[in-house]
Amino acid sequence: MGQEIREEHFGAQDFERFRRVLADETAWLLDWLKTAPPLEPPPPPRLGFEIEAWLCNTHGRPLPVNDAFLEAMDSPLATPELAQFNIELNSSVFHTGHGCFGAILDELNETLRQARRAARHAGAELLMAGSLPTLEPGDLGLHHMSHQARYRALNSAILEQRAQRPLEVDIVGHEHLQHRHADVMLEAATTSFQVHIETRPAIAHRTYNATMVATAPVLAAAGNTPYIFGHDLWAESRIPLFEQSVEVGGFANSARGPIRRVTFGTGYLHDSIGELFTENLEHFPVLLPVDLDETPDRLAHLAFHNGTIWRWNRPIVGCDADGRHSLRLEFRCLPAGPSLIDMLANTAFALGLIEYLVAESPDGTLETPFSEARDNFYNAARHGLDARLRWGHRDPMPAPRLITRELLPRAAEGLERLGIDASERNTLLGIIAARVASGQTGAQWQRAWVTRHGRDWPGLVRAYRGWQNTGAAVHTWGL
């Protein structure tokens, strides 16, 4: 959905044309996946990142000035998001291997330095967080939607799929949030840190399965979104909120089925990553039948349709200017923040664990049933480090014990296989170990701050931003 479009209104012929082209492109992709020659030796996978961030005023309230921010930033790495108080910062592409995390840290630090300067030029402060504690439902109206046509068209399409029914939020956590919302702007309450991990056709299905298994323990250690609209909910309240903010599955005019457009998934893959794109074609109605005027081998319509399906681990097919195709998995479950080094530590934990699972398990699952991987995911999102997780079809165990005793050593093995320096492995996984030992994730720090200081949401944002700007890992933050 990052691609701007010209049209906002569509007729029956547009939908029929798009479905026909989508079927052609899906068939082309399935043939390519079967015939793409293996690369020997396989190159190291590449990484890329997206950071969604908030623009706030001095009181920590959302400030709708992303046009002014983007003008001041003047960089292709910065793009708008759904709401005028959100922006996205992107990275270059990095090869895994010697010194890669140092290079990533250097670039992202420089991007953040420029972004903070651009935010100040627009009269704002920059904040990386899963959500904004000062955010109120009234902030999430169409008057604060970014000006791009694709967002207006998406809002219309979602509401049409819902037969104009309002969106219903019902989240039971430490407290109970119930809310009805008239438009898709509810999605803007959630901001994430997305990691793109390259894979190859021959192993992409195994990598996808491994990513699904690895998601829960990484998320348990990374929770940073306890508060939505003043309610104390899950360790990662983004997960249920985003799932409910674009809910269109199961309605009468959603055509072929109840599969949610924001989903953990319907099962593991068996033979090919193409199974997901077949599922896209057969089970997800087209939302925006744009005419992209590209040949089938460019896969433009397939990629656009895939961008309107928000799996927590999403496959992406790329096609560069020379017509070369690539595959990557978008690891979407992580929140933005608390600090840049925390986000890179989460990345290292996920990357190493995924690589280990692909190398050590024929299907990437390490005998973890899909139902357990899915249950683990929601338990981790809800309870954070207080979750009990299954691993390898064994009895549940406390997340800290599982992470410390079993998974961090395996993640270290995976990073070593990828050629990550021992010093970088030890530093980044050491941050996860220290965070788990202290129990202080971003979510727990926010809750502890509120316990000490009360529900002073502007004060919480100021304290959080102050610590974030130091660059220190969250387990070292004070109250």
Side-chain angles (χ1 to χ4, degrees):
M1 279 305 298
Q3 181 176 350
E4 184 55 311
I5 62 178
R6 297 184 301 272
E7 311 95 330
E8 294 185 44
H9 305 286
F10 307 97
Q13 290 183 334
D14 297 311
F15 283 94
E16 179 58 33
R17 175 195 48 76
F18 191 99
R19 284 190 289 265
R20 185 172 60 253
V21 175
L22 180 61
D24 290 343
E25 293 184 4
T26 302
W28 194 98
L29 174 67
L30 297 179
D31 287 342
W32 175 73
L33 290 170
K34 291 177 184 177
T35 59
L39 299 175
E40 296 294 345
R46 295 178 294 177
L47 297 175
F49 305 91
E50 302 173 33
I51 305 173
E52 297 171 350
W54 296 85
L55 298 170
C56 309
N57 65 18
T58 54
H59 301 290
R61 293 274 295 133
L63 194 63
V65 292
N66 66 0
D67 283 342
F69 167 87
L70 292 168
E71 183 178 358
M73 182 82 174
D74 191 25
S75 168
L77 297 180
T79 60
E81 274 289 328
L82 174 62
Q84 293 175 19
F85 38 72
N86 293 139
I87 52 93
E88 180 180 285
L89 302 173
N90 296 281
S91 77
S92 302
V93 177
F94 295 88
H95 288 275
T96 55
H98 175 73
C100 73
F101 277 102
I104 293 167
L105 182 62
D106 287 345
E107 182 188 279
L108 291 181
N109 265 324
E110 175 60 20
T111 299
L112 284 176
R113 186 189 67 80
Q114 295 176 21
R116 288 179 175 129
R117 183 174 61 192
R120 288 193 296 271
H121 189 274
E125 297 283 347
L126 191 77
L127 192 79
M128 299 178 294
S131 192
L132 192 63
T134 57
L135 187 70
E136 299 174 0
D139 299 319
L140 298 172
L142 297 182
H143 61 296
H144 283 156
M145 178 179 280
S146 291
H147 300 301
Q148 283 68 27
R150 65 181 183 270
Y151 296 131
R152 296 190 296 273
L154 178 64
N155 182 65
S156 297
I158 293 289
L159 293 178
E160 183 175 346
Q161 289 281 324
R162 294 182 57 84
Q164 305 304 316
R165 297 177 179 91
L167 292 149
E168 303 276 353
V169 174
D170 192 341
I171 305 172
V172 177
H174 288 202
E175 296 170 353
H176 188 186
L177 172 64
Q178 292 179 296
H179 173 68
R180 302 181 82 192
H181 209 80
D183 51 61
V184 78
M185 282 292 289
L186 196 59
E187 179 190 334
T190 66
T191 41
S192 63
F193 172 61
Q194 296 163 18
V195 183
H196 292 247
I197 304 170
E198 188 179 38
T199 185
R200 293 172 280 119
I203 64 167
H205 61 294
R206 293 167 52 205
T207 306
Y208 175 79
N209 294 346
T211 303
M212 299 182 86
V213 174
T215 296
V218 176
L219 187 62
N224 192 37
T225 319
Y227 297 113
I228 302 289
F229 301 154
H231 290 68
D232 187 351
L233 301 172
W234 293 17
E236 252 316 300
S237 306
R238 287 170 43 259
I239 302 301
L241 181 61
F242 189 61
E243 289 192 345
Q244 296 175 31
S245 69
V246 287
E247 175 56 74
V248 295
F251 287 92
N253 60 345
S254 66
R256 279 169 283 183
I259 299 178
R260 294 182 168 186
R261 294 192 91 96
V262 184
T263 176
F264 182 71
T266 56
Y268 291 135
L269 302 182
H270 301 289
D271 301 304
S272 169
I273 197 75
E275 293 161 31
L276 291 176
F277 291 94
T278 299
E279 184 178 85
N280 287 0
L281 174 67
E282 295 179 350
H283 294 285
F284 290 94
V286 173
L287 288 183
L288 301 175
V290 295
D291 185 357
L292 299 174
D293 192 26
E294 293 279 5
T295 57
D297 61 301
R298 303 293 299 182
L299 304 178
H301 298 80
L302 178 143
F304 192 89
H305 181 58
N306 187 55
T308 68
I309 301 162
W310 296 273
R311 294 180 180 90
W312 289 113
N313 295 296
R314 180 162 63 182
I316 295 179
V317 181
C319 184
D320 65 20
D322 296 326
R324 290 190 295 263
H325 294 84
S326 61
L327 285 171
R328 63 186 187 272
L329 294 174
E330 185 182 21
F331 195 74
R332 297 174 48 81
C333 69
L334 295 175
S339 70
L340 182 55
I341 196 65
D342 283 309
M343 293 189 285
L344 292 188
N346 296 337
T347 300
F349 186 22
L351 182 67
L353 198 51
I354 292 165
E355 178 66 20
Y356 173 85
L357 288 166
V358 171
E360 297 297 327
S361 180
D363 63 356
T365 71
L366 209 67
E367 299 183 352
T368 301
F370 174 77
S371 60
E372 293 184 3
R374 181 189 58 215
D375 291 348
N376 280 347
F377 173 73
Y378 290 105
N379 284 334
R382 182 165 188 168
H383 300 293
L385 288 175
D386 291 330
R388 295 177 64 84
L389 305 177
R390 292 181 180 271
W391 188 261
H393 207 22
R394 291 178 296 170
D395 290 338
M397 69 174 69
R401 184 192 307 168
L402 175 66
I403 292 169
T404 301
R405 295 184 182 180
E406 298 196 32
L407 302 190
L408 285 176
R410 286 164 171 76
E413 289 182 40
L415 293 176
E416 184 176 12
R417 290 178 59 90
L418 292 171
I420 307 300
D421 298 336
S423 60
E424 292 188 346
R425 297 197 308 266
N426 295 339
T427 296
L428 294 172
L429 297 183
I431 288 171
I432 301 295
R435 191 193 304 158
V436 171
S438 69
Q440 184 159 291
T441 62
Q444 284 304 105
W445 180 87
Q446 291 180 59
R447 284 171 168 157
W449 192 96
V450 168
T451 297
R452 176 170 293 189
H453 301 282
R455 297 196 172 202
D456 173 10
W457 305 124
L460 173 59
V461 172
R462 285 193 299 271
Y464 180 99
R465 185 173 62 226
W467 279 106
Q468 183 173 93
N469 288 348
T470 69
V474 72
H475 71 273
T476 68
W477 291 12
L479 299 175

